[in-house]
Amino acid sequence: MYQPGYDYKWVGKRPARPDGVPKVTGAAKYGADYNLPGMLVGRMLRSPHAHARIISIDTSKAKKLPGVKAVVTGADFPDFEFKYIGPSRLTNNPWHNTRNMMAREKALYEGHPIAAVAAIDESTAKAALKLIKVKYEVLPHVIDTEEAMQPNAPLLWEDMYTRGVEPSPDKPSNISKRVEFSQGDIEKGFRDADVIIERTFKTEAVHQGYIEPQACLAHYHADAQAELWCSSQGHFPIRTQTAAMVGMKQGDLKVIPAEIGGGFGGKTLVYLEPVAMMLSKLSGRPVKMRMTRTEVFKATGPTSGSVMKIKLGAKKDGTLVAADTEFAYQAGAFPQSPVENGCLCCFALYNIPNQHSVGLDVVSNRPKVAAYRAPGAPIAAYGAESVLDIMAKELGMDPVELRLRNACGVGDPMIGERTMTHDGVSQTFAAIRDHEGYNKPLGKNQGRGVAAGFWHNAGGESGATVYVNADGTVSVATGSPDIGGSRASMAIMAAEMLGVDYHLVRATVNDTTSVPYTHVTGGSRVTFATGAAVVGACEKVISDLRARAAKLWDIDIDGVDWADGMARPTSSNAGTFEPLSLQELAASSGQTGGPIGSSHAVNASGHAPGLCAQYCDVEVDPETGKVTILRFVVSQDAGQAIHPDYVEGQMQGAAAQGIGWALSEEYIYDGKGLLDNPGFLDYRMPVASDLPNIETVIVEVPNPGHPYGVKGIAEAGIVPAMAAIANAIADAIDRRMTSLPMSPPKVLEAIESGVEQK
């Protein structure tokens, strides 16, 4: 358990990762690596239009093609009642979800699935798709967020009336929902301000860019039992969604997790899984489906594009007194963008007494958005942290000192009827201020930018099972897909709890029939929540080991302690009995009660937010507008770093994605609403030559709500990245970039125009 200043044997150390060898040798199996005898190939027919009413779908010729074993459309799947389910920030609507999986009344974006086939091979499946005849009524489309909000914009949903508005509107619109948060007196706050800064910003949709496209293998048996192999961030939620959309009982569906080639939030939704399962059900044979990279870009969730207005007021001494924000986020074709996160996260690191924030959830003819690493927060931070930088310059203050002056502390109120519950904000700011490179002079056309970011982090449902084998080795099974090194972290915590060598512990990710329900690997929750489940299971195992030692010694269990991997008599019995090691107790388990093991499940609370501060140095080529990142430093509070290598990797990976979002990545649509850049050739993600050596500073302010002080770290690192780069560019060229990406043509235009970018 966490002890301040304690020198743990394994926690905080850097042992080799347990999944390293199979991954570097190619033995690890990902979603597309699974095969079964008699397997069919599934392929999807997708809409060529951005917006079209589906008049009819004729699949008769496709069904007659030799080698075709099944064809499905939306009509083959169960429908759902129209209702919104869950807390406001995570609301979903099954009626919408099933229509995203397979279109029914309308195709709402290019790439929207219309029908699917299962055939004996790829060529037959493709030929069958060409035989499906779809009659469309092409409708006007809308892509841009601001255009979608106009009263005369083409409507995606003729019966969509904005939720969160009183009285309810009498006209439909593309604004699905309005949320509003406030604290203090915003008007008085701005009256008290000596300096007021107000700007408008715009961001474009960007994709998570995971290297592995979606893939799955489904096998529906004659007895209505089924297996599903898939690459996802949570095979239990995939089971829930797939079973519902196919009309199965959850207990009849076993989902086996594959290794995952990246997700970053984008593999929390179902796209192929229910379709493959229904095709398998109808054909009686296993069905394998996988997306092409073009399909990934056109039909899986990017994060939102946005338009935002930020207004900030401060006293002459730098005290922030008022903040007013308005965010409009793209949801794609179906409601539920992460706009609420934007409202809640934008100024969460600062103690600003008077705040007001409005968020608008806007649908348009784009794929439904999915989570992307701290969903919603990086967008809002780009605007908020840019305005803070402008404020610092206006006041003549160092940007870190402005942030330190207003840092949110434990007990300070936060917008959304919250209070700050953990320390760490000031410490991450101070780590940037005190970094050896922060005050180094810069050269011509170079600039330095500072920004910070907040992410809620999460707890939630997790389960784990811990077994002690007869030879004294330990098996740890969880239901959390390993994206950021969780197997190593689980093994470390189990080794620390049981007092055994890390190399005697084997951590695995098990299927939905082998461990208790476990929610997604997302929200920076796994090391915290699943780690708590592992610790709880270890505590039960330790209690059992003590009881077995007590039985062998014929004393009460209270006379037995557990320390350093051994059952030891308490001081009152010292010298009477020799300590028994875990290995000795395991070897005698058959005589003391049978197998040693236990499961534990939690709905973990007490999680701490993600807190991050960054600075970066850039150089801007005044002739081309190209931005080169010279240095990038990330300071982040990890609570207690269980495996520092993985912590640093998450910090670096998040920053790298933020660099791409800031400088080059965007969805580009043509006049027909069709995606112009659905591939890595034209969708410009950063490569190694675009990135600097990203330096990390791990701050450790332990979380008392976790046995080992854990705070989630996977997401907060992306939140400030775009703002840090924008602030550095502004410092280098004396022009403020107010839209992303800050690509060379846009930067060059800002330089040559001599005015702030609009």
Side-chain angles (χ1 to χ4, degrees):
M1 296 300 201
Y2 173 71
Q3 302 174 49
Y6 183 74
D7 184 18
Y8 293 104
K9 184 176 181 180
W10 294 109
V11 168
K13 305 304 188 291
R14 303 172 187 254
R17 57 190 296 168
D19 55 329
V21 171
K23 285 182 176 175
V24 299
T25 59
K29 296 184 74 172
Y30 292 83
D33 291 331
Y34 289 89
N35 299 286
L36 286 173
M39 182 180 73
L40 302 175
V41 173
R43 291 284 293 172
M44 202 88 80
L45 180 70
R46 299 179 181 276
S47 170
H49 306 294
H51 193 194
R53 199 174 310 279
I54 300 172
I55 306 302
S56 63
I57 305 174
D58 183 356
T59 62
S60 57
K61 290 184 179 179
K63 289 178 178 178
K64 293 176 183 177
L65 183 69
V68 172
K69 302 301 180 182
V71 181
V72 296
T73 68
D76 293 299
F77 294 86
D79 208 350
F80 295 90
E81 179 185 355
F82 185 99
K83 61 179 179 179
Y84 291 96
I85 301 171
S88 61
R89 193 162 62 87
L90 303 171
T91 298
N92 72 86
N93 185 322
W95 192 89
H96 285 145
N97 294 343
T98 193
R99 280 161 175 76
N100 186 52
M101 180 266 297
M102 186 73 74
R104 300 205 182 193
E105 299 84 5
K106 292 203 296 185
L108 293 164
Y109 54 90
E110 182 198 11
H112 198 167
I114 304 296
V117 304
I120 57 173
D121 55 35
E122 186 82 17
S123 60
T124 304
K126 289 181 177 179
L129 293 181
K130 294 179 181 179
L131 295 175
I132 299 174
K133 302 303 178 184
V134 185
K135 185 177 180 181
Y136 295 102
E137 176 193 351
V138 178
L139 301 171
H141 67 274
V142 62
I143 295 293
D144 181 76
T145 306
E146 291 176 293
E147 291 176 4
M149 292 191 289
Q150 297 304 310
N152 60 347
L155 293 174
L156 277 72
W157 304 94
E158 290 82 359
D159 56 354
M160 179 178 285
Y161 296 84
T162 307
R163 293 171 288 145
V165 176
E166 296 296 339
S168 181
D170 58 5
K171 292 183 179 180
S173 79
N174 292 320
I175 302 175
S176 165
K177 181 175 67 172
R178 181 184 188 274
V179 295
E180 184 173 10
F181 305 93
S182 62
Q183 70 177 26
D185 185 334
I186 192 68
E187 293 182 358
K188 181 180 183 300
F190 281 113
R191 286 197 304 269
D192 293 342
D194 297 314
V195 180
I196 297 174
I197 305 295
E198 189 169 7
R199 293 290 189 279
T200 298
F201 299 88
K202 186 172 184 178
T203 69
E204 299 297 334
V206 298
H207 200 273
Q208 297 86 349
Y210 36 80
I211 196 169
E212 177 201 17
Q214 275 82 352
C216 69
L217 172 62
H219 192 190
Y220 191 99
H221 299 280
D223 62 356
Q225 304 285 311
E227 293 99 25
L228 176 66
W229 291 261
C230 66
S231 171
S232 80
Q233 291 181 237
H235 45 295
F236 282 91
I238 294 296
R239 179 188 66 174
T240 301
Q241 297 174 69
T242 300
M245 290 185 182
V246 178
M248 299 177 63
K249 292 181 288 187
Q250 290 185 31
D252 289 341
L253 176 57
K254 177 181 178 179
V255 183
I256 302 98
E259 293 289 355
I260 179 170
F264 314 109
K267 290 182 181 173
T268 55
L269 303 177
V270 292
Y271 297 103
L272 302 177
E273 293 85 356
V275 180
M277 189 60 67
M278 186 62 78
L279 288 169
S280 179
K281 180 179 180 180
L282 296 178
S283 66
R285 291 169 62 173
V287 175
K288 181 176 181 176
M289 298 188 77
R290 53 186 173 184
M291 285 189 178
T292 65
R293 182 62 62 183
T294 296
E295 288 178 310
V296 170
F297 273 109
K298 289 185 176 181
T300 68
T303 192
S304 306
S306 72
V307 177
M308 54 188 140
K309 298 177 182 178
I310 313 287
K311 183 179 180 181
L312 183 65
K315 294 285 197 178
K316 291 179 181 178
D317 66 356
T319 302
L320 301 177
V321 292
D324 195 5
T325 59
E326 181 179 306
F327 302 99
Y329 278 24
Q330 295 164 357
F334 298 89
Q336 205 55 37
S337 72
V339 70
E340 190 167 327
N341 288 337
C343 295
L344 296 174
C345 293
C346 62
F347 283 114
L349 292 174
Y350 309 105
N351 183 13
I352 306 174
N354 307 294
Q355 294 189 55
H356 176 249
S357 187
V358 170
L360 303 174
D361 183 52
V362 184
V363 297
S364 59
N365 294 114
R366 298 168 174 262
K368 173 180 170 64
V369 300
Y372 180 21
R373 212 163 193 161
I379 296 168
Y382 165 58
E385 293 289 318
S386 293
V387 169
L388 271 167
D389 192 64
I390 299 169
M391 180 65 77
K393 285 182 168 57
E394 185 72 19
L395 295 171
M397 291 186 66
D398 178 86
V400 175
E401 292 301 331
L402 176 63
R403 288 165 172 81
L404 272 167
R405 179 181 291 269
N406 295 281
C408 202
V410 173
D412 286 341
M414 303 168 69
I415 198 170
E417 299 182 350
R418 304 169 296 160
T419 58
M420 179 59 78
T421 54
H422 291 79
D423 281 320
V425 179
S426 295
Q427 291 89 333
T428 58
F429 292 164
I432 291 297
R433 178 198 61 194
D434 299 337
H435 190 267
E436 55 87 18
Y438 181 65
N439 290 306
K440 283 188 176 180
L442 295 169
K444 186 179 180 181
N445 302 318
Q446 295 180 352
R448 178 167 294 140
V450 171
F454 171 97
W455 176 241
H456 311 279
N457 285 344
E461 300 156 289
S462 283
T465 301
V466 175
Y467 290 108
V468 178
N469 302 305
D471 62 353
T473 58
V474 178
S475 298
V476 177
T478 76
S480 292
D482 186 352
I483 300 179
S486 56
R487 274 176 289 215
S489 295
M490 300 306 122
I492 283 173
M493 285 184 276
E496 197 72 57
M497 285 292 298
L498 297 172
V500 300
D501 190 283
Y502 166 84
H503 301 93
L504 297 178
V505 181
R506 173 74 182 275
T508 59
V509 183
N510 284 31
D511 64 64
T512 54
T513 65
S514 304
V515 288
Y517 179 89
T518 301
H519 199 42
V520 296
T521 296
S524 302
R525 61 172 294 277
V526 171
T527 307
F528 173 79
T530 306
V534 169
V535 168
C538 287
E539 288 175 332
K540 293 178 180 179
V541 167
I542 289 169
S543 180
D544 187 18
L545 291 167
R546 290 173 57 227
R548 291 167 189 262
K551 183 175 183 179
L552 291 171
W553 292 336
D554 194 23
I555 62 174
D556 189 81
I557 190 174
D558 291 338
V560 182
D561 287 333
W562 186 266
D564 299 322
M566 306 190 83
R568 301 174 184 273
T570 59
S571 57
S572 59
N573 294 307
T576 306
F577 306 105
E578 290 295 321
L580 292 169
S581 69
L582 181 142
Q583 287 76 12
E584 290 172 312
L585 290 167
S588 64
S589 61
Q591 291 75 50
T592 58
I596 302 171
S598 185
S599 292
H600 189 69
V602 299
N603 189 1
S605 58
H607 57 277
L611 311 170
C612 182
Q614 301 173 349
Y615 82 86
C616 76
D617 296 341
V618 304
E619 183 172 318
V620 181
D621 186 331
E623 296 183 354
T624 66
K626 182 181 184 297
V627 176
T628 300
I629 309 288
L630 304 174
R631 188 170 201 172
F632 206 105
V633 178
V634 182
S635 160
Q636 194 165 329
D637 179 13
Q640 168 78 50
I642 301 299
H643 193 303
D645 278 355
Y646 280 121
V647 170
E648 291 168 349
Q650 290 287 353
M651 294 164 70
Q652 292 164 332
Q657 288 182 311
I659 290 170
W661 197 341
L663 297 180
S664 60
E665 295 183 43
E666 63 178 319
Y667 269 37
I668 301 172
Y669 284 89
D670 68 13
K672 294 182 179 180
L674 308 182
L675 187 61
D676 264 347
N677 59 336
F680 285 142
L681 180 63
D682 297 309
Y683 180 90
R684 182 68 168 84
M685 290 182 66
V687 295
S689 58
D690 298 314
L691 299 171
N693 177 33
I694 298 170
E695 303 170 55
T696 59
V697 181
I698 300 176
V699 175
E700 292 185 301
V701 182
N703 171 17
H706 186 271
Y708 288 110
V710 167
K711 294 179 180 176
I713 50 85
E715 292 167 281
I718 198 174
V719 178
M722 293 102 75
I725 296 167
N727 293 339
I729 292 172
D731 190 43
I733 68 173
D734 197 28
R735 305 284 187 276
R736 175 61 54 177
M737 305 296 293
T738 57
S739 72
L740 299 181
M742 295 172 287
S743 56
K746 290 165 69 173
V747 174
L748 185 61
E749 181 185 358
I751 294 171
E752 292 180 343
S753 68
V755 297
E756 185 172 282
Q757 178 203 49
K758 301 295 183 186

